[in-house]
mmCIF file of all heavy atoms in Angstrom:
data_model
loop_
_atom_site.group_PDB
_atom_site.id
_atom_site.type_symbol
_atom_site.label_atom_id
_atom_site.label_comp_id
_atom_site.label_asym_id
_atom_site.label_seq_id
_atom_site.Cartn_x
_atom_site.Cartn_y
_atom_site.Cartn_z
ATOM 1 N N VAL A 1 26.499 -50.524 0.656
ATOM 2 C CA VAL A 1 27.847 -50.665 1.198
ATOM 3 C C VAL A 1 28.727 -49.532 0.672
ATOM 4 O O VAL A 1 28.892 -49.413 -0.536
ATOM 5 C CB VAL A 1 28.468 -52.041 0.862
ATOM 6 C CG1 VAL A 1 29.915 -52.067 1.307
ATOM 7 C CG2 VAL A 1 27.672 -53.158 1.514
ATOM 8 N N VAL A 2 29.246 -48.744 1.562
ATOM 9 C CA VAL A 2 30.127 -47.616 1.146
ATOM 10 C C VAL A 2 31.517 -48.103 0.860
ATOM 11 O O VAL A 2 32.133 -47.663 -0.126
ATOM 12 C CB VAL A 2 30.127 -46.533 2.251
ATOM 13 C CG1 VAL A 2 31.077 -45.382 1.902
ATOM 14 C CG2 VAL A 2 28.734 -45.987 2.535
ATOM 15 N N ARG A 3 31.974 -49.000 1.706
ATOM 16 C CA ARG A 3 33.372 -49.457 1.585
ATOM 17 C C ARG A 3 33.465 -50.843 2.131
ATOM 18 O O ARG A 3 32.990 -51.063 3.267
ATOM 19 C CB ARG A 3 34.348 -48.552 2.245
ATOM 20 C CG ARG A 3 35.768 -48.581 1.651
ATOM 21 C CD ARG A 3 36.538 -47.489 2.340
ATOM 22 N NE ARG A 3 37.870 -47.388 1.700
ATOM 23 C CZ ARG A 3 38.958 -46.805 2.198
ATOM 24 N NH1 ARG A 3 38.821 -46.269 3.429
ATOM 25 N NH2 ARG A 3 40.074 -46.703 1.603
ATOM 26 N N GLU A 4 34.044 -51.812 1.437
ATOM 27 C CA GLU A 4 34.165 -53.161 1.968
ATOM 28 C C GLU A 4 35.418 -53.284 2.819
ATOM 29 O O GLU A 4 36.366 -52.506 2.719
ATOM 30 C CB GLU A 4 34.186 -54.152 0.811
ATOM 31 C CG GLU A 4 32.847 -54.179 0.030
ATOM 32 C CD GLU A 4 32.867 -55.291 -1.052
ATOM 33 O OE1 GLU A 4 33.963 -55.847 -1.280
ATOM 34 O OE2 GLU A 4 31.825 -55.521 -1.660
ATOM 35 N N ALA A 5 35.415 -54.309 3.604
ATOM 36 C CA ALA A 5 36.550 -54.573 4.539
ATOM 37 C C ALA A 5 37.860 -54.684 3.806
ATOM 38 O O ALA A 5 38.900 -54.200 4.250
ATOM 39 C CB ALA A 5 36.302 -55.829 5.341
ATOM 40 N N ARG A 6 37.819 -55.276 2.561
ATOM 41 C CA ARG A 6 39.032 -55.447 1.777
ATOM 42 C C ARG A 6 39.710 -54.161 1.478
ATOM 43 O O ARG A 6 40.907 -53.985 1.539
ATOM 44 C CB ARG A 6 38.698 -56.199 0.501
ATOM 45 C CG ARG A 6 39.911 -56.441 -0.345
ATOM 46 C CD ARG A 6 39.515 -57.115 -1.670
ATOM 47 N NE ARG A 6 38.770 -56.211 -2.552
ATOM 48 C CZ ARG A 6 37.442 -56.293 -2.751
ATOM 49 N NH1 ARG A 6 36.734 -57.296 -2.166
ATOM 50 N NH2 ARG A 6 36.868 -55.485 -3.576
ATOM 51 N N ALA A 7 38.903 -53.099 1.242
ATOM 52 C CA ALA A 7 39.438 -51.774 0.912
ATOM 53 C C ALA A 7 40.166 -51.178 2.076
ATOM 54 O O ALA A 7 41.211 -50.525 1.893
ATOM 55 C CB ALA A 7 38.300 -50.897 0.434
ATOM 56 N N PHE A 8 39.667 -51.382 3.258
ATOM 57 C CA PHE A 8 40.302 -50.863 4.473
ATOM 58 C C PHE A 8 41.692 -51.523 4.674
ATOM 59 O O PHE A 8 42.652 -50.935 5.059
ATOM 60 C CB PHE A 8 39.448 -51.036 5.711
ATOM 61 C CG PHE A 8 38.283 -50.055 5.785
ATOM 62 C CD1 PHE A 8 37.021 -50.358 5.397
ATOM 63 C CD2 PHE A 8 38.493 -48.795 6.275
ATOM 64 C CE1 PHE A 8 35.943 -49.539 5.448
ATOM 65 C CE2 PHE A 8 37.428 -47.919 6.370
ATOM 66 C CZ PHE A 8 36.184 -48.228 5.945
ATOM 67 N N ARG A 9 41.664 -52.893 4.411
ATOM 68 C CA ARG A 9 42.914 -53.616 4.607
ATOM 69 C C ARG A 9 43.943 -53.176 3.557
ATOM 70 O O ARG A 9 45.107 -52.936 3.907
ATOM 71 C CB ARG A 9 42.656 -55.118 4.421
ATOM 72 C CG ARG A 9 41.740 -55.710 5.500
ATOM 73 C CD ARG A 9 41.709 -57.228 5.338
ATOM 74 N NE ARG A 9 40.680 -57.827 6.149
ATOM 75 C CZ ARG A 9 39.546 -58.405 5.649
ATOM 76 N NH1 ARG A 9 39.300 -58.364 4.303
ATOM 77 N NH2 ARG A 9 38.633 -58.952 6.428
ATOM 78 N N GLU A 10 43.539 -53.161 2.287
ATOM 79 C CA GLU A 10 44.504 -52.942 1.204
ATOM 80 C C GLU A 10 44.939 -51.471 1.074
ATOM 81 O O GLU A 10 46.133 -51.203 0.738
ATOM 82 C CB GLU A 10 43.899 -53.440 -0.129
ATOM 83 C CG GLU A 10 43.658 -54.931 -0.121
ATOM 84 C CD GLU A 10 42.874 -55.365 -1.420
ATOM 85 O OE1 GLU A 10 42.523 -54.542 -2.231
ATOM 86 O OE2 GLU A 10 42.708 -56.614 -1.577
ATOM 87 N N LYS A 11 43.981 -50.543 1.258
ATOM 88 C CA LYS A 11 44.326 -49.154 1.009
ATOM 89 C C LYS A 11 44.874 -48.407 2.235
ATOM 90 O O LYS A 11 45.582 -47.421 2.076
ATOM 91 C CB LYS A 11 43.110 -48.399 0.427
ATOM 92 C CG LYS A 11 42.695 -48.926 -0.933
ATOM 93 C CD LYS A 11 41.519 -48.114 -1.484
ATOM 94 C CE LYS A 11 41.134 -48.632 -2.865
ATOM 95 N NZ LYS A 11 39.988 -47.890 -3.501
ATOM 96 N N GLN A 12 44.464 -48.869 3.405
ATOM 97 C CA GLN A 12 44.874 -48.132 4.594
ATOM 98 C C GLN A 12 45.611 -49.003 5.621
ATOM 99 O O GLN A 12 46.081 -48.428 6.648
ATOM 100 C CB GLN A 12 43.641 -47.561 5.286
ATOM 101 C CG GLN A 12 42.987 -46.422 4.464
ATOM 102 C CD GLN A 12 41.792 -45.822 5.199
ATOM 103 O OE1 GLN A 12 40.719 -46.395 5.228
ATOM 104 N NE2 GLN A 12 41.996 -44.631 5.784
ATOM 105 N N GLY A 13 45.674 -50.232 5.364
ATOM 106 C CA GLY A 13 46.457 -51.127 6.313
ATOM 107 C C GLY A 13 45.741 -51.360 7.620
ATOM 108 O O GLY A 13 46.380 -51.621 8.628
ATOM 109 N N VAL A 14 44.433 -51.259 7.570
ATOM 110 C CA VAL A 14 43.639 -51.563 8.786
ATOM 111 C C VAL A 14 43.360 -53.038 8.818
ATOM 112 O O VAL A 14 42.885 -53.618 7.865
ATOM 113 C CB VAL A 14 42.312 -50.734 8.813
ATOM 114 C CG1 VAL A 14 41.476 -51.152 10.020
ATOM 115 C CG2 VAL A 14 42.589 -49.293 8.800
ATOM 116 N N ASN A 15 43.664 -53.671 9.951
ATOM 117 C CA ASN A 15 43.482 -55.114 10.077
ATOM 118 C C ASN A 15 42.011 -55.378 10.501
ATOM 119 O O ASN A 15 41.698 -55.372 11.682
ATOM 120 C CB ASN A 15 44.461 -55.654 11.132
ATOM 121 C CG ASN A 15 44.312 -57.151 11.343
ATOM 122 O OD1 ASN A 15 43.746 -57.871 10.498
ATOM 123 N ND2 ASN A 15 44.817 -57.668 12.445
ATOM 124 N N VAL A 16 41.143 -55.586 9.524
ATOM 125 C CA VAL A 16 39.762 -55.807 9.821
ATOM 126 C C VAL A 16 39.478 -57.314 9.917
ATOM 127 O O VAL A 16 39.715 -58.045 8.985
ATOM 128 C CB VAL A 16 38.833 -55.218 8.678
ATOM 129 C CG1 VAL A 16 37.390 -55.374 9.064
ATOM 130 C CG2 VAL A 16 39.146 -53.750 8.488
ATOM 131 N N GLN A 17 39.001 -57.708 11.081
ATOM 132 C CA GLN A 17 38.722 -59.135 11.355
ATOM 133 C C GLN A 17 37.223 -59.275 11.412
ATOM 134 O O GLN A 17 36.559 -58.904 12.417
ATOM 135 C CB GLN A 17 39.367 -59.505 12.639
ATOM 136 C CG GLN A 17 40.894 -59.450 12.673
ATOM 137 C CD GLN A 17 41.536 -60.495 11.763
ATOM 138 O OE1 GLN A 17 41.092 -61.646 11.752
ATOM 139 N NE2 GLN A 17 42.472 -60.053 10.971
ATOM 140 N N LEU A 18 36.655 -59.985 10.387
ATOM 141 C CA LEU A 18 35.186 -60.173 10.354
ATOM 142 C C LEU A 18 34.818 -61.456 11.090
ATOM 143 O O LEU A 18 35.618 -62.392 11.174
ATOM 144 C CB LEU A 18 34.704 -60.193 8.916
ATOM 145 C CG LEU A 18 34.980 -58.922 8.133
ATOM 146 C CD1 LEU A 18 34.492 -59.085 6.683
ATOM 147 C CD2 LEU A 18 34.398 -57.697 8.774
ATOM 148 N N GLY A 19 33.575 -61.580 11.546
ATOM 149 C CA GLY A 19 33.120 -62.781 12.164
ATOM 150 C C GLY A 19 33.771 -63.038 13.504
ATOM 151 O O GLY A 19 33.903 -64.207 13.928
ATOM 152 N N CYS A 20 34.233 -61.995 14.178
ATOM 153 C CA CYS A 20 34.928 -62.125 15.452
ATOM 154 C C CYS A 20 34.217 -61.362 16.496
ATOM 155 O O CYS A 20 34.095 -60.103 16.488
ATOM 156 C CB CYS A 20 36.353 -61.554 15.331
ATOM 157 S SG CYS A 20 37.434 -62.527 14.193
ATOM 158 N N ARG A 21 33.656 -62.071 17.459
ATOM 159 C CA ARG A 21 32.915 -61.438 18.566
ATOM 160 C C ARG A 21 33.779 -61.277 19.817
ATOM 161 O O ARG A 21 34.258 -62.269 20.354
ATOM 162 C CB ARG A 21 31.705 -62.287 18.877
ATOM 163 C CG ARG A 21 30.865 -61.746 20.030
ATOM 164 C CD ARG A 21 29.658 -62.643 20.355
ATOM 165 N NE ARG A 21 28.902 -62.157 21.490
ATOM 166 C CZ ARG A 21 27.983 -61.215 21.416
ATOM 167 N NH1 ARG A 21 27.704 -60.661 20.233
ATOM 168 N NH2 ARG A 21 27.303 -60.815 22.506
ATOM 169 N N VAL A 22 34.020 -60.035 20.190
ATOM 170 C CA VAL A 22 34.744 -59.759 21.461
ATOM 171 C C VAL A 22 33.806 -60.001 22.595
ATOM 172 O O VAL A 22 32.723 -59.498 22.645
ATOM 173 C CB VAL A 22 35.300 -58.311 21.467
ATOM 174 C CG1 VAL A 22 35.889 -58.005 22.831
ATOM 175 C CG2 VAL A 22 36.346 -58.125 20.400
ATOM 176 N N GLU A 23 34.248 -60.857 23.542
ATOM 177 C CA GLU A 23 33.354 -61.250 24.655
ATOM 178 C C GLU A 23 33.822 -60.629 25.995
ATOM 179 O O GLU A 23 33.053 -60.773 26.952
ATOM 180 C CB GLU A 23 33.336 -62.736 24.769
ATOM 181 C CG GLU A 23 32.658 -63.419 23.522
ATOM 182 C CD GLU A 23 32.479 -64.891 23.700
ATOM 183 O OE1 GLU A 23 33.280 -65.564 24.334
ATOM 184 O OE2 GLU A 23 31.404 -65.413 23.232
ATOM 185 N N GLY A 24 35.015 -60.041 26.000
ATOM 186 C CA GLY A 24 35.432 -59.469 27.263
ATOM 187 C C GLY A 24 36.649 -58.583 27.124
ATOM 188 O O GLY A 24 37.375 -58.662 26.125
ATOM 189 N N ILE A 25 36.835 -57.740 28.121
ATOM 190 C CA ILE A 25 37.986 -56.851 28.155
ATOM 191 C C ILE A 25 38.703 -57.026 29.529
ATOM 192 O O ILE A 25 38.003 -57.145 30.560
ATOM 193 C CB ILE A 25 37.539 -55.354 28.079
ATOM 194 C CG1 ILE A 25 36.705 -55.149 26.826
ATOM 195 C CG2 ILE A 25 38.721 -54.459 28.100
ATOM 196 C CD1 ILE A 25 35.937 -53.824 26.899
ATOM 197 N N ASP A 26 40.023 -57.005 29.490
ATOM 198 C CA ASP A 26 40.787 -57.021 30.768
ATOM 199 C C ASP A 26 41.567 -55.707 30.756
ATOM 200 O O ASP A 26 42.679 -55.608 30.249
ATOM 201 C CB ASP A 26 41.769 -58.214 30.831
ATOM 202 C CG ASP A 26 42.468 -58.317 32.170
ATOM 203 O OD1 ASP A 26 42.589 -57.302 32.834
ATOM 204 O OD2 ASP A 26 42.838 -59.428 32.546
ATOM 205 N N PRO A 27 41.022 -54.638 31.344
ATOM 206 C CA PRO A 27 41.678 -53.331 31.321
ATOM 207 C C PRO A 27 43.035 -53.330 32.015
ATOM 208 O O PRO A 27 43.920 -52.610 31.621
ATOM 209 C CB PRO A 27 40.707 -52.377 32.080
ATOM 210 C CG PRO A 27 39.364 -53.051 31.937
ATOM 211 C CD PRO A 27 39.670 -54.539 31.991
ATOM 212 N N GLY A 28 43.161 -54.179 33.080
ATOM 213 C CA GLY A 28 44.397 -54.229 33.789
ATOM 214 C C GLY A 28 45.563 -54.740 32.934
ATOM 215 O O GLY A 28 46.666 -54.221 32.970
ATOM 216 N N LYS A 29 45.239 -55.706 32.094
ATOM 217 C CA LYS A 29 46.308 -56.318 31.224
ATOM 218 C C LYS A 29 46.308 -55.675 29.850
ATOM 219 O O LYS A 29 47.197 -55.961 29.002
ATOM 220 C CB LYS A 29 46.068 -57.809 31.100
ATOM 221 C CG LYS A 29 46.270 -58.592 32.408
ATOM 222 C CD LYS A 29 46.039 -60.078 32.187
ATOM 223 C CE LYS A 29 46.287 -60.880 33.488
ATOM 224 N NZ LYS A 29 46.029 -62.300 33.261
ATOM 225 N N GLY A 30 45.288 -54.854 29.537
ATOM 226 C CA GLY A 30 45.206 -54.270 28.184
ATOM 227 C C GLY A 30 44.882 -55.341 27.165
ATOM 228 O O GLY A 30 45.615 -55.376 26.151
ATOM 229 N N LEU A 31 43.887 -56.148 27.415
ATOM 230 C CA LEU A 31 43.528 -57.277 26.508
ATOM 231 C C LEU A 31 42.066 -57.220 26.185
ATOM 232 O O LEU A 31 41.212 -56.894 27.029
ATOM 233 C CB LEU A 31 43.876 -58.597 27.159
ATOM 234 C CG LEU A 31 45.350 -59.096 27.287
ATOM 235 C CD1 LEU A 31 45.365 -60.353 28.106
ATOM 236 C CD2 LEU A 31 45.909 -59.296 25.910
#
């Protein structure tokens, strides 16, 4: 492991959501 999710959240402010499976995209609504 080069960098854990916590480091991205705390040091760069990236909202990393683990255990979340994206199942679809709605390009028209931007969702």
Side-chain angles (χ1 to χ4, degrees):
V1 174
V2 178
R3 205 173 188 199
E4 295 185 350
R6 181 182 69 254
F8 285 97
R9 296 188 192 107
E10 295 174 355
K11 295 182 178 181
Q12 291 182 283
V14 177
N15 180 19
V16 184
Q17 298 291 316
L18 302 179
C20 293
R21 179 181 178 82
V22 172
E23 296 187 323
I25 306 166
D26 187 334
K29 295 181 179 179
L31 284 175

